[in-house]
Amino acid sequence: MSEPRLQLLGREGCHLCLTAAEQLVPIAAEAGVDVHEVDVDTDPELQAEYGDRVPVLLLDGREHSYFTLDVPRLRRDLGLR
């Protein structure tokens, strides 16, 4: 099975993560893709790699945005206007 198209890496209690998720969900729905949220604190490798640098959005397994979503770029990269 292939990697999810959109992964939002974050953690519990992170206000920036909540804001990113709120922005991301309608864009993903418009593009017809699901958002897979991942808590970095549940995986020691992710926690070591991303530490306090969350939220991080991965698009097709590659880092797309961190701290704040680059909404215009994301819409473009998902083929939305």
Side-chain angles (χ1 to χ4, degrees):
M1 184 173 188
S2 66
E3 209 167 65
R5 188 97 207 266
L6 291 172
Q7 290 181 289
L8 183 61
L9 308 179
R11 67 172 32 96
E12 280 289 319
C14 167
H15 72 281
L16 290 176
C17 301
L18 181 60
T19 299
E22 289 171 349
Q23 290 178 308
L24 184 57
V25 167
I27 296 168
E30 186 179 345
V33 296
D34 292 326
V35 176
H36 297 268
E37 292 189 49
V38 178
D39 185 337
V40 297
D41 292 330
T42 63
D43 182 323
E45 284 185 32
L46 290 175
Q47 190 176 30
E49 184 171 348
Y50 295 102
D52 290 332
R53 193 175 61 94
V54 291
V56 175
L57 176 65
L58 303 180
L59 173 60
D60 297 328
R62 302 179 98 179
E63 192 171 307
H64 187 276
S65 304
Y66 67 94
F67 291 139
T68 59
L69 291 185
D70 185 340
V71 173
R73 180 173 160 232
L74 178 60
R75 292 183 63 80
R76 183 183 66 243
D77 291 347
L78 291 173
L80 302 173
R81 293 178 179 212

